[in-house]
Amino acid sequence: MNEEIKIEDVNFVGGDNLKFSLLDLDSKHESQWCPGCGNYGIVMAVKNAILKLGINPKDVLIVSGIGCASKFPHYLKTYGIETIHGRALPVATGAKLANKDLHVIVVGGDGDGYGIGMGHLMHTMRRNINITYLINNNEIYALTKGQTSPTTPKGKKTASTPNGSIETPVNPMALAIGGGATFIAKSFSGDINHMSDTIARAIAHKGFSIIDIAQICVSFNPSMNFKWYKDRIYNIDDLPDYNNKNKSWGMIHALESQDDKIGIGIYYHNDDDRETYIDDLPEDEKLSLVRQDINDIDIENILDNYE
Amino acid sequence: MSLNKISIKIGGPAGSGVFTIGLLLSKYFQRAGLNVVYTTDYPSLIRGGHNTCCVRAENEEINAEVLNHDVLVALDDLTITEDLKQLNKGAVLICDTKSTFESADYQVLKVDFDKLLDGMDKRYFNTIAFGCVIGLMGEDGDMLRDALATHFRKKSQEVVEENLKAAQVGYDFAKEFCVQNNTGFLGRITKTQNSLGNTVFMSGNDAACVAAVKAGVKFVGEYPMTPSTSFLHYMAAHELDYNITTKQTEDEIAAINTAIGASVAGVRAMTATSGGGFALMNEAIGFAAIAEAPVVVFECMRGGPSTGIPTYTDQGDLKFVINSSQGEFPMVVLAPGDIEECFEESFNAFNLADILQTPVIVLLDKHLAASHFTAKRFDTSKLKVDRGKYINLSDEVLANNKRHEFTEDGISTRFNPGQPGGIYTSSSYEHDETGYTCEDSENHVKMMEKRFKKYDAIPKELLRPKMYGPEDADLTIVGWGSTKGVALDAIKYLNSDGLKVNYMHFVYINPFDNEEVKSMLDSCKDTIILEANYTGQLRDIIREKTGFYIEKTYFKYDARPFYFQEVYTKIKEVLKK
């Protein structure tokens, strides 16, 4: 079983005291992503975060849905579950409840998380289960070749909205604050250092952490390229009134961050926000469910009740 | 009226405690050593409407509800209007003094509930009614107190005392009535030892839940839906005693997916639902199958289509369940027929799911799920948890990473995230032995064959339909699931009438033992199939798999269970022709 990781203990510079190396995390599978895809950087950042935290790869479970981003588990040498479209969060929830010693990282796209899986997202945030959710948000459906997604900007022309989308996009940061997540951040697939640091902090956070990652899609959303993002991104840590322990502060800045002005950074995080879901379970959870002995369970006293 | 053989119907509006009276009477009869069948009939609402329940108790083995009763407890006039026609001649009607009903055909016991309550909480009037029924039997009252104390064992002493007081008032009143009117008692129930030995009195859902606890289920994800909701209540009520994480999820999709997640992480996991919820779970069933994640799903059928008649029984989901989810994959579908089978087969379901590493669906229907029956107390001494080819996480052995390794029997060694050495991905995509996405045709063929090969691991004797009654019968009744009860009662009476009828009972319906079933059917002189659906779904499956066409049918799609008299009469008619 693993020792609890505290973010303060982590040497973010890395190098000297790493228990595992990038080689340990190399799945040796050739990627199926397009050249220039933002997912490459995100995989790298997750690897960096795992190494920085010194987690044994065998104790990492990466759970994904279906979509480009959801091919993720194959490109790290950790345990993985590639589930069905939109259902990564409930599968991850079940796995974490069964074995609380696992570090469960959920990865999916904007369609997977904010579209088909939105219902699960709301309830998983509400539960504050101690898992990390990365949404690789390229504001488009890519694996199905270019339809509008829940985060596609209003007015954008896509294969399914040839006359421009008329729907208001989801604001992920505002959604997460309203939904009750206890670690809420935005990052950018073009900034490995920012992603690595944020993901490591998210994994170390006690509770449900969500990181929406602005992701470049070179094939189906080419206009929102590296330069497009660089021109619009600012770091919310630099704001003069910076106070990300305060939900109201986070909400104000979440609402300010729109497509013409994208704030990256941690909008809200608080380890003491409330107990995690597993800590709140009424049953005796000292030992993970998977480690409990199920042979010869005595049910005679139950049967007595039916006599 | 014969002793130790009685059927009582109780009716009233929802919320009036109709079922409490029924359950108290059932407990009373069980403790008197009788066999009991307790069935309910209620619409989908919380207050008002017309709720009824029936308690049938006999010395001999009984398995079904009958349509003629010795006592009718009418908590409102609607019950008299609706249910009087089912009363035997000379039977007793218990109703409130406010009722204007009079009849020379029945003994009418009018109870002034308001007066008898005499300051007690109004809700105790159903306990008074219970006391009245027992009073009519003229017994000494010890068993009454025993039944009450057992029924309310989890309540406070005060509640037990109040109920005892109320029952005593009803009991005295009815006894006095019999003496005053010189009408004679219904007949004394003599306490005997049940020939089954120690018995349990429980519903099909209860029996399945007890089996799940025994099988070591550790995770339950469920969304409430009649008639499967009691699974959620039961497992949640036992979460502390047995360390079972029981979660009401946001919907049925999450319910099964959390269960699959828990399963991949290594624990025994289950969900329960009805047809509508199962429809939502469909995609995940195929996911569990291709990811080779064991999961047990209890599907309690109710009247459909769509929301249908949600609190009534039906056997209309069989082909839907068997054909669930896109593509082809191995899945076990089994339908227990009585309390013992609910227990045994639910326990087997968890073992089979682990051995085959695939979903197992246990198909119940409202009639079996919610009705209560007495059964011989389960012998749990021989039940062994069998997890199949499985490396326990605590063993910390080094696994290879071929979670889906090709093997002789199609079954690969299963190990879970956290196991050193064995990193893999469980995928909904077709994959290679390590779980990596693979769309290669040769690999797909091998994986399809690997998965279907796992069926061979199911013991043949499990798949074989069970035969009841004389071997050389002139007519064989064929049925599945909860039809078993009424079929067994019918063949018993038909055979005692000198007719030779037996019953072929299907529990395992997927996979299907084509050759064995065909040879069994070929050796029958004549066959009739009983199904609580419109199209005859098992009949279709039998024809599809064996070419054997069962011409004679009794399909009942009124969303009520088969009643004893209906089946008895139908079979007699068929045999006359």
Side-chain angles (χ1 to χ4, degrees):
Chain A
M1 269 169 281
N2 308 292
E3 295 156 29
E4 197 176 313
I5 294 164
K6 289 209 175 68
I7 199 76
E8 302 83 55
D9 303 336
V10 176
N11 174 6
F12 275 95
V13 183
D16 300 339
N17 58 351
L18 297 184
K19 294 182 196 159
F20 301 94
S21 75
L22 275 175
L23 272 179
D24 293 316
L25 283 168
D26 184 2
S27 76
K28 300 201 170 63
H29 288 304
E30 200 181 316
S31 169
Q32 296 176 340
W33 290 318
C34 309
C37 176
N39 279 318
Y40 289 103
I42 305 173
V43 169
M44 196 61 210
V46 171
K47 286 180 179 175
N48 283 345
I50 292 168
L51 294 179
K52 282 177 174 185
L53 295 170
I55 302 169
N56 188 331
K58 78 168 177 66
D59 294 320
V60 177
L61 176 66
I62 303 209
V63 184
S64 69
I66 292 295
C68 286
S70 294
K71 295 184 182 297
F72 212 91
H74 295 304
Y75 305 125
L76 284 92
K77 202 176 166 191
T78 67
Y79 279 94
I81 312 177
E82 192 174 16
T83 71
I84 45 180
H85 195 29
R87 314 302 168 204
L89 283 174
V91 173
T93 299
K96 181 73 181 179
L97 287 171
N99 185 355
K100 63 178 176 158
D101 304 323
L102 295 172
H103 296 280
V104 179
I105 303 168
V106 185
V107 187
D110 37 316
D112 205 66
Y114 303 136
I116 188 168
M118 177 63 106
H120 304 308
L121 174 57
M122 294 310 291
H123 294 286
T124 312
M125 292 195 290
R126 195 164 69 79
R127 290 181 186 127
N128 199 33
I129 185 149
N130 192 10
I131 61 179
T132 297
Y133 188 23
L134 309 181
I135 295 177
N136 304 1
N137 178 5
N138 55 15
E139 308 195 359
I140 198 82
Y141 277 71
L143 194 60
T144 51
K145 303 195 165 137
Q147 300 80 20
T148 180
S149 103
T151 49
T152 299
K154 196 169 180 180
K156 191 173 177 72
K157 290 182 178 175
T158 71
S160 58
T161 55
N163 301 309
S165 167
I166 58 169
E167 292 177 14
T168 301
V170 168
N171 182 321
M173 295 296 96
L175 176 84
I177 293 168
T182 51
F183 180 106
I184 300 158
K186 174 105 184 168
S187 193
F188 171 47
S189 73
D191 188 342
I192 292 248
N193 288 339
H194 189 267
M195 281 194 294
S196 305
D197 181 83
T198 312
I199 293 167
R201 288 177 190 280
I203 293 170
H205 167 70
K206 214 167 148 279
F208 184 73
S209 49
I210 176 169
I211 308 175
D212 179 272
I213 302 172
Q215 187 212 340
I216 291 163
C217 176
V218 291
S219 297
F220 292 101
N221 200 359
S223 62
M224 289 164 71
N225 55 24
F226 187 80
K227 183 175 183 310
W228 186 93
Y229 275 111
K230 268 293 171 199
D231 291 346
R232 288 162 177 80
I233 280 176
Y234 62 99
N235 197 325
I236 60 165
D237 302 349
D238 301 335
L239 295 172
D241 62 338
Y242 184 69
N243 182 8
N244 66 9
K245 290 257 190 240
N246 182 324
K247 276 185 190 172
S248 307
W249 180 89
M251 184 60 104
I252 288 165
H253 291 282
L255 295 172
E256 275 176 3
S257 174
Q258 294 296 341
D259 266 332
D260 51 344
K261 210 174 81 150
I262 302 164
I264 62 167
I266 301 171
Y267 282 78
Y268 175 72
H269 78 100
N270 191 351
D271 274 353
D272 303 322
D273 183 291
R274 62 188 191 276
E275 288 290 308
T276 73
Y277 197 61
I278 288 178
D279 289 335
D280 268 346
L281 287 177
E283 56 271 21
D284 180 9
E285 267 284 340
K286 279 187 208 84
L287 203 57
S288 275
L289 296 178
V290 68
R291 293 181 188 276
Q292 292 172 14
D293 184 11
I294 61 165
N295 291 300
D296 304 316
I297 290 171
D298 186 356
I299 56 162
E300 295 309 317
N301 55 344
I302 296 189
L303 292 177
D304 289 345
N305 287 324
Y306 293 101
E307 283 227 348
Chain B
M1 193 171 300
S2 55
L3 292 174
N4 288 4
K5 181 174 174 177
I6 192 164
S7 183
I8 300 165
K9 187 162 193 173
I10 304 120
S16 65
V18 169
F19 301 151
T20 305
I21 301 173
L23 286 167
L24 280 170
L25 286 167
S26 300
K27 208 72 205 171
Y28 175 86
F29 292 129
Q30 183 202 13
R31 299 191 81 73
L34 302 189
N35 295 304
V36 186
V37 174
Y38 164 80
T39 51
T40 60
D41 184 304
Y42 59 96
S44 178
L45 45 76
I46 303 299
R47 294 275 158 188
H50 183 52
N51 285 9
T52 63
C53 66
C54 292
V55 180
R56 180 186 174 201
E58 290 190 21
N59 263 349
E60 290 189 33
E61 189 189 321
I62 49 168
N63 302 286
E65 181 179 342
V66 291
L67 282 171
N68 56 319
H69 309 288
D70 307 311
V71 179
L72 176 65
V73 181
L75 300 182
D76 60 1
D77 281 347
L78 183 61
T79 302
I80 302 175
T81 321
E82 289 284 320
D83 302 300
L84 196 73
K85 55 184 177 290
Q86 289 187 359
L87 266 193
N88 289 325
K89 283 269 173 304
V92 183
L93 168 73
I94 299 174
C95 61
D96 196 284
T97 38
K98 294 189 197 83
S99 173
T100 53
F101 180 80
E102 295 294 346
S103 169
D105 294 335
Y106 309 101
Q107 302 180 59
V108 182
L109 172 61
K110 289 199 174 180
V111 187
D112 191 342
F113 283 107
D114 287 341
K115 192 176 154 206
L116 291 185
L117 274 165
D118 187 30
M120 276 186 284
D121 193 303
K122 216 175 155 46
R123 69 198 148 106
Y124 289 113
F125 89 98
N126 50 24
T127 311
I128 295 179
F130 160 68
C132 286
V133 179
I134 306 301
L136 290 174
M137 294 170 192
E139 70 101 1
D140 56 19
D142 283 349
M143 288 194 293
L144 172 140
R145 285 181 280 279
D146 187 21
L148 271 173
T150 316
H151 184 82
F152 293 110
R153 77 175 97 203
K154 289 200 174 130
K155 305 274 185 192
S156 68
Q157 192 56 37
E158 195 192 340
V159 171
V160 176
E161 290 301 327
E162 281 294 294
N163 275 291
L164 275 172
K165 203 172 115 191
Q168 193 68 44
V169 168
Y171 173 85
D172 292 342
F173 180 82
K175 226 173 172 178
E176 181 66 18
F177 169 85
C178 291
V179 175
Q180 291 290 322
N181 296 278
N182 200 21
T183 54
F185 298 109
L186 277 171
R188 190 180 288 271
I189 301 286
T190 327
K191 185 167 182 163
T192 52
Q193 174 62 43
N194 192 307
S195 59
L196 297 171
N198 286 359
T199 60
V200 286
F201 172 70
M202 56 166 58
S203 70
N205 281 3
D206 288 344
C209 286
V210 176
V213 173
K214 177 69 188 165
V217 73
K218 283 283 146 199
F219 182 84
V220 183
E222 188 177 342
Y223 186 83
M225 185 170 188
T226 304
S228 65
T229 311
S230 68
F231 277 91
L232 177 61
H233 296 176
Y234 190 98
M235 300 314 283
H238 290 83
E239 65 183 2
L240 297 182
D241 293 342
Y242 292 90
N243 267 319
I244 299 167
T245 296
T246 305
K247 285 298 145 203
Q248 180 183 338
T249 53
E250 57 270 28
D251 54 32
E252 286 92 345
I253 298 174
I256 186 152
N257 279 293
T258 47
I260 291 170
S263 166
V264 173
V267 302
R268 287 195 156 178
M270 62 169 266
T271 183
T273 187
S274 184
F278 192 77
L280 293 177
M281 293 181 181
N282 260 256
E283 192 187 13
I285 299 281
F287 166 42
I290 195 167
E292 304 200 67
V295 62
V296 176
V297 182
F298 294 90
E299 208 269 51
C300 305
M301 294 176 285
R302 62 193 215 183
S306 194
T307 310
I309 27 182
T311 56
Y312 290 91
T313 200
D314 198 82
Q315 291 185 316
D317 294 354
L318 178 61
K319 287 211 278 188
F320 164 56
V321 166
I322 284 179
N323 294 301
S324 71
S325 211
Q326 70 273 27
E328 299 170 297
F329 53 85
M331 170 176 64
V332 179
V333 178
L334 59 95
D338 56 24
I339 297 302
E340 289 94 331
E341 284 179 1
C342 280
F343 179 75
E344 283 166 24
E345 299 299 350
S346 299
F347 185 85
N348 282 344
F350 284 94
N351 277 351
L352 280 176
D354 264 356
I355 293 167
L356 271 66
Q357 302 175 8
T358 209
V360 176
I361 320 293
V362 181
L363 206 48
L364 300 162
D365 58 37
K366 184 263 167 179
H367 174 57
L368 182 57
S371 301
H372 289 54
F373 304 84
T374 42
K376 185 176 167 55
R377 182 173 165 138
F378 312 133
D379 176 11
T380 63
S381 63
K382 290 193 184 68
L383 299 177
K384 285 279 169 270
V385 166
D386 184 350
R387 303 212 64 185
K389 291 189 190 174
Y390 182 74
I391 299 176
N392 202 316
L393 190 56
S394 311
D395 292 345
E396 294 268 329
V397 299
L398 202 66
N400 75 25
N401 65 344
K402 289 186 176 173
R403 166 66 189 90
H404 305 286
E405 190 171 21
F406 294 119
T407 58
E408 195 100 319
D409 58 3
I411 301 166
S412 324
T413 299
R414 183 168 157 238
F415 51 92
N416 309 112
Q419 197 77 39
I423 280 172
Y424 66 88
T425 296
S426 280
S427 183
S428 66
Y429 276 93
E430 185 59 285
H431 42 256
D432 65 14
E433 290 171 285
T434 69
Y436 183 60
T437 305
C438 181
E439 289 164 347
D440 174 73
S441 68
E442 197 186 328
N443 176 75
H444 181 51
V445 168
K446 279 178 87 176
M447 277 296 172
M448 289 295 284
E449 288 167 359
K450 167 205 189 315
R451 286 190 288 265
F452 275 103
K453 210 167 186 344
K454 298 193 286 187
Y455 272 151
D456 296 345
I458 306 173
K460 275 271 180 199
E461 60 271 22
L462 276 186
L463 301 183
R464 192 177 194 275
K466 299 180 191 172
M467 294 297 299
Y468 297 90
E471 266 180 33
D472 58 337
D474 294 318
L475 180 67
T476 299
I477 300 172
V478 179
W480 62 281
S482 75
T483 315
K484 182 183 182 183
V486 74
L488 290 187
D489 279 11
I491 63 166
K492 188 175 94 178
Y493 280 86
L494 290 161
N495 283 298
S496 70
D497 290 352
L499 300 164
K500 277 188 173 173
V501 185
N502 63 7
Y503 174 58
M504 183 192 284
H505 177 55
F506 283 79
V507 177
Y508 285 74
I509 303 173
N510 199 62
F512 198 87
D513 191 342
N514 305 0
E515 283 82 38
E516 183 64 22
V517 173
K518 183 163 191 327
S519 97
M520 285 172 79
L521 285 166
D522 281 341
S523 66
C524 294
K525 283 187 196 154
D526 197 3
T527 51
I528 180 170
I529 190 158
L530 246 63
E531 292 192 66
N533 57 43
Y534 184 88
T535 54
Q537 299 189 14
L538 179 64
R539 180 171 76 150
D540 283 356
I541 292 166
I542 291 172
R543 192 181 199 185
E544 177 193 321
K545 301 281 186 183
T546 68
F548 192 99
Y549 186 57
I550 303 174
E551 279 183 36
K552 298 189 173 77
T553 63
Y554 184 9
F555 298 149
K556 195 167 187 267
Y557 41 89
D558 63 353
R560 305 303 188 272
F562 284 103
Y563 300 107
F564 166 73
Q565 283 89 344
E566 291 174 338
V567 175
Y568 176 81
T569 312
K570 174 77 183 180
I571 302 297
K572 278 217 149 164
E573 272 172 28
V574 168
L575 284 167
K576 255 184 224 161
K577 280 176 193 160

